Coordinates of all heavy atoms in Angstrom, one line a residue:
M1 N 96.4 109.9 112.9 CA 97.7 109.4 112.3 C 97.4 108.6 111.1 O 96.5 107.7 111.0 CB 98.4 108.5 113.4 CG 99.6 108.0 112.9 SD 100.3 106.7 114.2 CE 100.9 105.6 113.1
K2 N 98.2 109.0 110.0 CA 97.9 108.2 108.6 C 98.7 106.9 108.7 O 99.8 106.8 109.1 CB 98.5 109.0 107.5 CG 97.7 110.4 107.3 CD 96.4 110.1 106.5 CE 95.6 111.4 106.5 NZ 94.2 111.2 106.2
I3 N 98.0 105.9 108.3 CA 98.5 104.6 108.1 C 98.1 104.0 106.8 O 97.6 104.7 105.9 CB 98.1 103.6 109.3 CG1 96.7 103.5 109.5 CG2 98.7 104.2 110.6 CD1 96.1 102.3 110.2
Y4 N 98.4 102.7 106.6 CA 98.1 102.0 105.3 C 96.6 102.0 105.2 O 95.8 102.1 106.3 CB 98.5 100.6 105.3 CG 98.0 99.8 106.5 CD1 96.7 99.2 106.4 CD2 98.7 99.5 107.7 CE1 96.2 98.5 107.5 CE2 98.3 99.0 108.8 CZ 96.9 98.4 108.6 OH 96.5 97.7 109.7
P5 N 95.9 102.1 104.0 CA 94.5 102.1 104.0 C 93.9 100.8 104.3 O 94.4 99.8 104.2 CB 94.3 102.5 102.4 CG 95.6 102.1 101.7 CD 96.6 102.2 102.7
W6 N 92.5 100.9 104.8 CA 91.8 99.8 105.0 C 90.3 100.1 104.7 O 90.0 101.3 104.5 CB 92.0 99.4 106.4 CG 91.1 100.2 107.5 CD1 90.0 99.9 108.0 CD2 91.6 101.3 108.1 NE1 89.5 100.9 108.9 CE2 90.7 101.8 109.0 CE3 92.8 102.2 108.0 CZ2 90.7 103.0 109.8 CZ3 92.9 103.2 108.8 CH2 91.8 103.7 109.6
H7 N 89.5 99.1 104.5 CA 88.1 99.2 104.2 C 87.2 98.1 104.8 O 87.8 97.2 105.3 CB 87.9 99.4 102.7 CG 88.2 98.1 102.0 ND1 89.5 97.8 101.7 CD2 87.4 97.2 101.5 CE1 89.5 96.7 101.0 NE2 88.3 96.2 100.9
S8 N 85.9 98.4 104.8 CA 85.1 97.3 105.2 C 84.3 96.6 104.0 O 84.0 97.3 103.1 CB 83.9 98.0 106.1 OG 82.9 97.1 106.5
V9 N 84.1 95.3 104.2 CA 83.5 94.6 103.2 C 82.0 94.3 103.4 O 81.3 93.5 102.9 CB 84.2 93.1 102.8 CG1 85.6 93.5 102.2 CG2 84.3 92.3 104.1
K10 N 81.5 95.0 104.6 CA 80.2 94.8 105.1 C 79.2 95.5 104.1 O 79.5 96.7 103.8 CB 80.1 95.4 106.5 CG 78.8 94.9 107.2 CD 78.9 95.4 108.6 CE 77.6 95.1 109.4 NZ 77.6 95.5 110.8
A11 N 78.2 94.8 103.6 CA 77.3 95.3 102.6 C 76.7 96.6 103.1 O 76.3 97.4 102.2 CB 76.2 94.4 102.3
T12 N 76.4 96.8 104.4 CA 75.6 98.0 104.9 C 76.5 99.1 105.2 O 76.1 100.2 105.4 CB 74.8 97.6 106.0 OG1 75.8 97.0 107.0 CG2 73.6 96.6 105.8
D13 N 77.8 99.0 105.1 CA 78.9 100.0 105.4 C 79.0 100.8 104.0 O 78.9 100.3 103.0 CB 80.2 99.5 105.9 CG 80.2 99.2 107.3 OD1 79.1 99.7 108.0 OD2 81.1 98.5 107.9
R14 N 79.4 102.1 104.2 CA 79.7 102.9 102.9 C 80.8 102.5 102.1 O 81.8 101.9 102.7 CB 79.9 104.3 103.4 CG 78.7 105.0 104.0 CD 78.9 106.5 104.2 NE 80.1 106.8 104.8 CZ 81.0 107.8 104.4 NH1 80.7 108.5 103.4 NH2 82.1 108.0 105.0
P15 N 80.8 102.4 100.8 CA 81.8 102.0 100.0 C 83.0 103.0 99.8 O 83.2 103.6 98.9 CB 81.2 101.8 98.7 CG 80.1 102.8 98.6 CD 79.6 103.0 100.1
V16 N 83.7 103.1 101.1 CA 84.9 104.1 101.0 C 86.1 103.3 101.7 O 85.9 102.3 102.3 CB 84.6 105.4 101.9 CG1 83.5 106.2 101.2 CG2 84.2 105.0 103.3
Y17 N 87.2 103.9 101.6 CA 88.4 103.4 102.4 C 88.7 104.4 103.3 O 88.5 105.6 103.2 CB 89.6 102.9 101.6 CG 90.4 104.0 100.9 CD1 91.5 104.5 101.6 CD2 90.1 104.4 99.5 CE1 92.3 105.5 100.9 CE2 90.8 105.3 98.9 CZ 91.9 105.9 99.6 OH 92.7 106.8 99.1
H18 N 89.6 104.0 104.3 CA 90.0 104.9 105.4 C 91.5 104.7 105.6 O 92.2 103.7 105.3 CB 89.4 104.5 106.8 CG 87.9 104.3 106.8 ND1 87.1 105.5 107.0 CD2 87.1 103.3 106.5 CE1 85.8 105.0 106.9 NE2 85.8 103.8 106.6
D19 N 92.1 105.8 106.0 CA 93.6 105.7 106.0 C 94.1 106.6 107.3 O 95.4 107.0 107.4 CB 94.3 106.2 104.8 CG 94.2 107.6 104.6 OD1 93.5 108.3 105.2 OD2 94.8 108.1 103.6
D20 N 93.3 106.9 108.3 CA 93.5 107.7 109.5 C 93.0 107.0 110.6 O 91.8 106.7 110.7 CB 93.1 109.2 109.4 CG 93.8 110.0 110.2 OD1 93.8 109.8 111.5 OD2 94.4 111.0 109.7
T21 N 93.9 106.8 111.7 CA 93.5 106.1 112.9 C 92.6 106.9 113.7 O 92.0 106.3 114.6 CB 94.8 105.8 113.7 OG1 95.5 106.9 114.0 CG2 95.6 104.7 113.0
A22 N 92.4 108.2 113.5 CA 91.5 109.0 114.2 C 90.1 109.1 113.6 O 89.2 109.7 114.2 CB 92.1 110.4 114.2
C23 N 89.9 108.3 112.5 CA 88.5 108.4 111.9 C 87.6 107.4 112.7 O 87.9 106.2 112.8 CB 88.6 107.8 110.5 SG 87.0 107.7 109.7
T24 N 86.5 107.9 113.2 CA 85.6 107.2 114.1 C 85.0 106.1 113.3 O 84.8 104.9 113.7 CB 84.5 108.1 114.6 OG1 85.2 109.2 115.3 CG2 83.6 107.4 115.7
E25 N 84.5 106.5 112.0 CA 83.8 105.5 111.2 C 84.7 104.3 110.8 O 84.3 103.1 110.9 CB 83.3 106.2 109.9 CG 82.6 105.1 109.0 CD 82.0 105.9 107.8 OE1 81.8 107.2 107.8 OE2 82.0 105.3 106.6
G26 N 86.0 104.6 110.6 CA 86.9 103.5 110.2 C 87.3 102.7 111.4 O 87.5 101.5 111.2
N27 N 87.4 103.3 112.5 CA 87.6 102.6 113.9 C 86.4 101.7 114.2 O 86.7 100.6 114.9 CB 87.9 103.5 115.0 CG 89.3 104.2 114.8 OD1 90.3 103.7 114.3 ND2 89.4 105.3 115.3
N28 N 85.2 102.0 113.8 CA 84.0 101.2 114.1 C 83.8 100.0 113.2 O 83.0 99.1 113.6 CB 82.9 102.0 114.0 CG 82.7 103.0 115.2 OD1 83.3 102.8 116.2 ND2 81.9 104.0 115.1
I29 N 84.7 99.8 112.3 CA 84.7 98.6 111.5 C 85.0 97.5 112.2 O 86.0 97.4 112.9 CB 85.5 98.8 110.2 CG1 85.1 99.9 109.3 CG2 85.4 97.4 109.4 CD1 86.0 100.1 108.1
E30 N 84.2 96.5 112.2 CA 84.4 95.1 113.0 C 85.6 94.5 112.3 O 85.6 94.4 111.0 CB 83.1 94.3 113.1 CG 82.0 94.9 113.8 CD 80.7 94.4 113.2 OE1 80.4 93.2 113.4 OE2 79.9 95.2 112.7
S31 N 86.4 93.8 113.1 CA 87.6 93.1 112.5 C 87.2 92.1 111.6 O 88.0 91.9 110.6 CB 88.5 92.5 113.6 OG 87.7 91.7 114.4
Y32 N 86.0 91.4 111.7 CA 85.6 90.4 110.7 C 85.4 91.0 109.3 O 85.7 90.3 108.3 CB 84.2 89.8 111.2 CG 83.7 88.7 110.2 CD1 84.2 87.4 110.3 CD2 82.6 89.1 109.4 CE1 83.7 86.4 109.6 CE2 82.1 88.1 108.7 CZ 82.6 86.7 108.7 OH 82.2 85.8 107.9
Y33 N 85.0 92.3 109.2 CA 84.8 92.9 107.9 C 85.9 93.7 107.5 O 85.9 94.3 106.3 CB 83.5 93.7 108.0 CG 82.2 93.0 108.3 CD1 81.6 93.0 109.5 CD2 81.7 92.2 107.3 CE1 80.4 92.3 109.7 CE2 80.6 91.4 107.6 CZ 80.0 91.5 108.7 OH 78.9 90.8 109.0
K34 N 87.0 93.9 108.2 CA 88.0 94.8 108.0 C 89.1 94.1 107.0 O 89.4 93.0 107.1 CB 88.9 95.2 109.3 CG 89.6 96.5 109.1 CD 90.0 96.7 110.6 CE 91.0 97.9 110.7 NZ 91.3 98.3 112.0
R35 N 89.4 95.0 105.9 CA 90.4 94.4 104.9 C 91.4 95.5 104.7 O 91.1 96.6 104.7 CB 89.8 94.1 103.6 CG 88.6 92.9 103.7 CD 89.3 91.7 103.8 NE 88.2 90.6 103.8 CZ 87.4 90.2 104.9 NH1 87.6 90.8 106.0 NH2 86.5 89.3 104.8
Q36 N 92.6 95.0 104.4 CA 93.7 96.0 104.1 C 93.6 96.5 102.6 O 93.1 95.8 101.7 CB 95.1 95.4 104.2 CG 95.4 95.4 105.6 CD 96.9 95.0 105.9 OE1 97.7 95.3 105.0 NE2 97.3 94.4 106.9
G37 N 94.0 97.7 102.3 CA 94.0 98.3 100.9 C 92.7 99.1 100.8 O 91.9 99.2 101.7
T38 N 92.7 99.8 99.6 CA 91.6 100.7 99.2 C 90.3 100.0 98.7 O 89.2 100.5 98.7 CB 92.0 101.7 98.2 OG1 92.3 101.0 96.9 CG2 93.3 102.5 98.6
G39 N 90.5 98.8 98.3 CA 89.3 98.1 97.7 C 88.8 98.7 96.5 O 87.7 98.5 96.0
G40 N 89.6 99.6 95.8 CA 89.1 100.4 94.6 C 88.1 101.4 95.0 O 87.4 101.9 93.9
R41 N 88.1 101.8 96.1 CA 87.0 102.7 96.6 C 87.5 104.1 96.8 O 88.8 104.3 96.7 CB 86.4 102.2 98.0 CG 85.7 101.0 97.9 CD 85.7 100.1 99.1 NE 85.2 99.0 98.9 CZ 84.3 98.3 99.8 NH1 84.0 99.1 100.9 NH2 83.8 97.2 99.6
R42 N 86.6 105.1 96.8 CA 87.1 106.5 97.0 C 87.4 106.6 98.6 O 86.9 105.8 99.4 CB 86.0 107.5 96.6 CG 84.8 107.5 97.5 CD 83.7 108.5 97.0 NE 82.5 108.2 97.7 CZ 82.2 108.8 98.9 NH1 83.2 109.7 99.5 NH2 81.1 108.6 99.4
K43 N 88.2 107.7 98.8 CA 88.6 107.9 100.3 C 87.4 108.5 101.1 O 86.8 109.3 100.6 CB 89.8 108.9 100.2 CG 90.5 109.0 101.5 CD 91.8 109.8 101.3 CE 92.6 110.1 102.4 NZ 93.8 110.9 102.1
C44 N 87.3 108.1 102.3 CA 86.3 108.5 103.4 C 86.6 110.1 103.5 O 87.8 110.4 103.7 CB 86.5 107.8 104.6 SG 86.0 108.7 106.0
E45 N 85.4 110.9 103.5 CA 85.7 112.2 103.6 C 86.1 112.7 105.0 O 86.7 113.8 105.1 CB 84.4 113.0 103.3 CG 83.1 112.7 104.1 CD 82.3 111.5 103.4 OE1 83.0 110.6 102.8 OE2 81.1 111.7 103.5
H46 N 85.9 111.8 106.0 CA 86.4 112.2 107.3 C 88.0 112.0 107.3 O 88.7 112.9 107.9 CB 85.8 111.2 108.4 CG 84.3 111.2 108.5 ND1 83.6 112.4 108.7 CD2 83.5 110.3 108.2 CE1 82.3 112.0 108.5 NE2 82.1 110.7 108.4
C47 N 88.5 111.0 106.7 CA 89.9 110.8 106.6 C 90.5 112.0 105.7 O 91.7 112.3 106.1 CB 90.2 109.4 106.0 SG 89.9 108.0 107.1
Q48 N 89.8 112.4 104.8 CA 90.4 113.5 104.0 C 90.5 114.7 104.8 O 91.6 115.3 104.7 CB 89.4 113.8 102.8 CG 89.8 113.3 101.5 CD 88.7 113.4 100.4 OE1 87.8 114.2 100.5 NE2 88.8 112.4 99.4
R49 N 89.5 115.0 105.6 CA 89.6 116.2 106.5 C 90.7 116.0 107.6 O 91.3 117.0 107.9 CB 88.2 116.3 107.2 CG 87.8 117.8 107.2 CD 86.3 117.9 107.6 NE 85.4 117.3 106.6 CZ 84.2 116.6 107.0 NH1 84.0 116.3 108.2 NH2 83.4 116.2 106.0
L50 N 90.9 114.8 108.0 CA 91.9 114.5 109.0 C 93.3 114.8 108.5 O 94.2 115.0 109.1 CB 91.7 113.3 109.6 CG 90.4 113.0 110.5 CD1 90.2 111.5 110.7 CD2 90.7 113.7 111.9
G51 N 93.4 114.5 107.1 CA 94.6 114.6 106.5 C 95.2 116.0 106.4 O 96.3 116.3 106.5
Ligands
ZN1 ZN1 87.5 107.5 107.4

């Protein structure tokens, strides 16, 4: 399911944003590092495929 974009500010995570609740990588982001918006990053390829 597509929702508003979010991304991780964790240094070791990939610099991408997610916008699909079915994305495993996006779901694995710890809430401490989770931020709303794209963060000026490119879209996660898993989320692209899910779209
Ligand atoms: Zn994703």
Side-chain angles (χ1 to χ4, degrees):
M1 182 184 139
K2 292 285 175 193
I3 57 166
Y4 60 84
W6 76 95
H7 64 282
S8 169
V9 294
K10 195 176 184 179
T12 51
D13 280 348
R14 296 190 310 129
V16 296
Y17 74 85
H18 308 272
D19 68 353
D20 198 299
T21 53
C23 178
T24 312
E25 185 179 326
N27 285 332
N28 282 342
I29 297 174
E30 297 152 65
S31 53
Y32 179 80
Y33 296 108
K34 203 168 169 180
R35 299 287 184 277
Q36 281 190 32
T38 65
R41 297 150 185 227
R42 67 183 172 83
K43 193 173 178 175
C44 157
E45 59 267 40
H46 305 303
C47 289
Q48 256 169 27
R49 222 170 289 139
L50 290 163

